[in-house]
Amino acid sequence: MKTIIKYELVINKALRSALNYDTPDEQINEFIRFFGKHIGSDRIYIFEDCDEKHVTNNTYEWCADGIVPEIHELQNVDMDIIGWWYQAFGSEKNIIITDIEQIKDEHRESYNMLKAQNVKNLVVCPIRYKDEIKGFFGLDNPPESDTLGLTTFLDMIGTLLISLLKLRNSFTKSNKEAKLSSYSSLSSIYISMAVVNVQTHRYHIVKTLDEVTHFLGVKPQKEGEYKIDEDFPGHINSVMDEFCTKAHREETLEFVDITTVEDRLRGKNTIVHEFTGKVSGWCRERFIPVDYDDDGRLWHVLYCVENIDEEKRRENRLMYLAQTDLMTGIRNRGSGENKITEYLVRKQCGLLCLLDCDKFKSINDTYGHVVGDKVIIAIADTLRKSCRDDDVVLRLGGDEFAVFIPGMLDKERAETFFDRLFSNIEHIDIAEMNGKHILLSLGACFYDGMDCITFDQLYRRADTAMYDSKKKQGYSATIFDAKQ
């Protein structure tokens, strides 16, 4: 009698604690957590059956401190492994195992499964809906002192658990209906939206472009009034073939593959992909999970497309400003160093050149800063025209520039480049300078791609060579020689 009173007190306290939470899932988790804390066991769990697949799934679990959760491993468990449990449940019996070694010979599969979970003893009771067994709940490694009293206790909480599970199902259903009714209002931020059944491939168009309805040969209708069709893969593939640009078509068709979306969405709230469309420019498409069936499989998703053309233009503009020297239009120091570092990390051989305008201060002092700016811009423009597309051209700051030429390791080719560059610089004509030439000094360093090296290390070697070039008058280029 004292035991029953004790358990009734625990049940009342657990229920009050659970009702402090808002959703049925939270309430169920709190309900079993409370019992775990007050009864003392390694693990409390609830399994719910899927008769269609003849499997059972661990849907709720509480573990004591230091106990490894098993809920993710115990999905789609073949009911035959514990078929003898169901036979006992059908005879109005609970499962009480005081020592799992006792079942080693008679129920080998059950034994192996429990042993792998470090279960030594357990108590399990069935979950019944309208006299039908729909699962079970139980405790692993409970206190051994009162096993019979514990089964009585589990029988007492069984009705409460079933009530909470029913409440959860009603809550899930009402939430699903609320979500479906809200799609039309949600679609205001998208140019296209469809609800898709992942398992059957049936789909309902909530919203789409007029150009798409014209292409499909259907009459425009009010949002949300399109009929349900049967073949989402066929529909979306034909639309993308027509409206996605050729450059993005292959990867876009891969993204909209509904047969792989469940795996790609696993553990995620959404997945996205960007492409360019022939009508709307840059677009972002996404899949959003809506709900799952009783077996935990993804059931419905939202497929949405939004126009991000303006966002892309802003993004590209900001990226350009972040990477570009605003005066000259070539790479700034940060962007240039990062690009060269990418080459160095890949051990891409090449030639780093540092360039410095001779007596630039004198140009500023004599002709003014406006002319000085024209000189800087002219040098940058000449460097860009003298280099290949893959070469990295950057302004280090002031009148200092750098060029990295991937693949160049030949001294004669380097000197040919220097001569061509100096000739191009010599032809710069700044009207305010009255025919006076701009002179450059150049220091260079080869990187053979053998050793790991940083930009700063390569820079210092080229800077050493630059120091020697500065000692000479006129156009001068020096290649770093470690032997000197």
Side-chain angles (χ1 to χ4, degrees):
M1 187 67 178
K2 289 182 179 180
T3 299
I4 293 175
I5 293 173
K6 168 192 167 185
Y7 286 144
E8 285 179 342
L9 289 173
V10 174
I11 289 173
N12 289 332
K13 290 180 180 178
L15 190 56
R16 285 198 299 270
S17 181
L19 293 177
N20 286 326
Y21 290 83
D22 296 326
T23 68
D25 277 335
E26 293 173 323
Q27 291 168 356
I28 294 170
N29 281 316
E30 173 58 19
F31 196 68
I32 65 175
R33 184 204 68 80
F34 193 96
F35 286 128
K37 288 288 187 180
H38 287 78
I39 294 171
S41 64
D42 284 355
R43 189 182 292 111
I44 297 180
Y45 42 81
I46 299 173
F47 277 73
E48 296 179 74
D49 298 343
C50 173
D51 294 329
E52 183 182 345
K53 293 188 174 181
H54 198 63
V55 296
T56 188
N57 298 288
N58 189 178
T59 52
Y60 299 92
E61 178 190 64
W62 170 87
C63 293
D65 292 341
I67 301 301
V68 178
E70 296 286 348
I71 188 168
H72 296 299
E73 303 300 324
L74 296 174
Q75 302 299 317
N76 295 311
V77 178
D78 189 341
M79 292 166 68
D80 287 339
I81 294 176
I82 49 175
W84 60 285
W85 290 15
Y86 289 94
Q87 290 176 8
F89 297 155
S91 301
E92 303 292 330
K93 296 178 182 178
N94 297 327
I95 298 297
I96 303 174
I97 303 176
T98 56
D99 181 358
I100 69 162
E101 296 300 325
Q102 296 172 355
I103 68 168
K104 183 175 182 179
D105 296 328
E106 186 177 359
H107 304 292
R108 171 66 68 170
E109 281 190 286
S110 302
Y111 171 82
N112 290 337
M113 182 178 69
L114 296 171
K115 189 75 173 178
Q117 300 167 41
N118 294 316
V119 176
K120 300 178 180 64
N121 58 301
L122 58 77
V123 177
V124 180
C125 296
I127 295 175
R128 285 187 172 88
Y129 288 101
K130 298 179 181 179
D131 296 326
E132 290 187 13
I133 297 168
K134 293 298 183 181
F136 55 86
F137 59 99
L139 289 76
D140 288 346
N141 304 328
E144 299 179 18
S145 57
D146 188 21
T147 304
L148 189 58
L150 194 55
T151 58
T152 302
F153 167 66
L154 291 180
D155 285 335
M156 292 168 65
I157 70 171
T159 303
L160 286 174
L161 276 179
I162 290 168
S163 297
L164 289 172
L165 290 170
K166 286 182 177 179
L167 183 62
R168 177 207 61 187
N169 293 343
S170 297
F171 182 84
T172 301
K173 182 180 179 181
S174 62
N175 268 4
K176 186 187 301 182
E177 291 171 351
K179 285 180 180 178
L180 289 170
S181 66
S182 67
Y183 293 154
S184 290
S185 58
L186 250 181
S187 68
S188 61
I189 64 174
Y190 296 106
I191 59 175
S192 177
M193 176 185 285
V195 185
V196 187
N197 187 314
V198 176
Q199 299 175 23
T200 66
H201 298 173
R202 301 182 78 201
Y203 65 99
H204 172 80
I205 296 177
V206 180
K207 181 181 182 181
T208 192
L209 293 171
D210 291 341
E211 290 84 357
V212 174
T213 59
H214 179 74
F215 167 70
L216 296 173
V218 296
K219 295 180 180 179
Q221 302 175 62
K222 293 180 181 179
E223 290 181 9
E225 291 186 356
Y226 290 89
K227 67 176 182 177
I228 294 176
D229 284 311
E230 301 292 333
D231 181 24
F232 179 75
H235 160 75
I236 196 65
N237 285 359
S238 64
V239 169
M240 286 303 176
D241 273 340
E242 176 70 17
F243 292 99
C244 180
T245 57
K246 187 176 181 180
H248 291 121
R249 192 171 300 157
E250 184 176 345
E251 60 188 36
T252 300
L253 290 175
E254 183 177 342
F255 179 82
V256 298
D257 184 356
I258 200 68
T259 64
T260 64
V261 74
E262 182 172 12
D263 287 336
R264 288 183 285 141
L265 271 171
R266 188 165 285 117
K268 301 175 182 176
N269 293 322
T270 185
I271 52 175
V272 300
H273 173 255
E274 295 176 358
F275 67 95
T276 51
K278 296 178 181 177
V279 175
S280 302
W282 273 103
C283 296
R284 180 183 294 123
E285 56 183 345
R286 70 172 68 238
F287 282 110
I288 305 170
V290 174
D291 53 18
Y292 296 81
D293 64 17
D294 293 338
D295 301 328
R297 288 185 57 202
L298 184 61
W299 195 2
H300 294 96
V301 293
L302 283 179
Y303 173 72
C304 310
V305 181
E306 60 184 307
N307 184 284
I308 58 167
D309 207 51
E310 183 62 32
E311 177 185 327
K312 273 291 184 180
R313 282 198 290 269
R314 290 197 303 269
E315 180 183 302
N316 292 337
R317 177 62 180 167
L318 289 173
M319 187 176 295
Y320 172 81
L321 293 175
Q323 297 180 348
T324 304
D325 177 69
L326 297 183
M327 177 186 288
T328 63
I330 62 175
R331 288 181 181 268
N332 59 24
R333 181 168 192 141
S335 170
E337 282 191 25
N338 289 339
K339 186 62 179 178
I340 295 171
T341 298
E342 289 179 16
Y343 280 122
L344 299 180
V345 168
R346 296 200 302 265
K347 293 190 175 181
Q348 167 67 63
C349 63
L351 177 71
L352 177 68
C353 305
L354 300 184
L355 303 101
D356 186 270
C357 180
D358 294 345
K359 299 180 180 179
F360 182 70
K361 185 177 183 302
S362 176
I363 294 175
N364 272 334
D365 292 343
T366 304
Y367 304 104
H369 289 282
V370 172
V371 174
D373 289 348
K374 288 184 178 181
V375 169
I376 296 296
I377 293 169
I379 293 174
D381 191 50
T382 303
L383 281 174
R384 181 168 45 202
K385 292 177 180 177
S386 302
C387 293
R388 305 167 302 179
D389 291 341
D390 290 341
D391 298 339
V392 185
V393 181
L394 62 144
R395 183 186 178 198
L396 293 168
D399 61 320
E400 296 179 285
F401 297 86
V403 176
F404 183 76
I405 307 175
M408 182 174 284
L409 278 180
D410 183 79
K411 185 177 180 181
E412 289 186 9
R413 284 183 57 208
E415 289 175 344
T416 299
F417 169 73
F418 301 154
D419 290 342
R420 176 163 54 85
L421 174 61
F422 287 150
S423 176
N424 292 340
I425 295 290
E426 189 176 15
H427 283 87
I428 293 175
D429 182 19
I430 306 295
E432 292 87 344
M433 292 178 61
N434 301 315
K436 183 176 178 63
H437 292 300
I438 299 169
L439 301 178
L440 290 183
S441 295
L442 187 152
C445 177
F446 287 116
Y447 169 57
D448 61 11
M450 300 299 292
D451 300 322
C452 292
I453 192 170
T454 66
F455 174 83
D456 287 339
Q457 291 171 322
L458 199 61
Y459 175 91
R460 284 195 291 270
R461 294 176 187 178
D463 193 49
T464 300
M466 168 75 81
Y467 182 77
D468 290 337
S469 292
K470 283 288 188 182
K471 297 176 182 177
K472 306 169 187 176
Q473 292 292 324
Y475 298 108
S476 176
T478 306
I479 298 175
F480 176 80
D481 186 348
K483 298 178 182 178
Q484 292 183 350

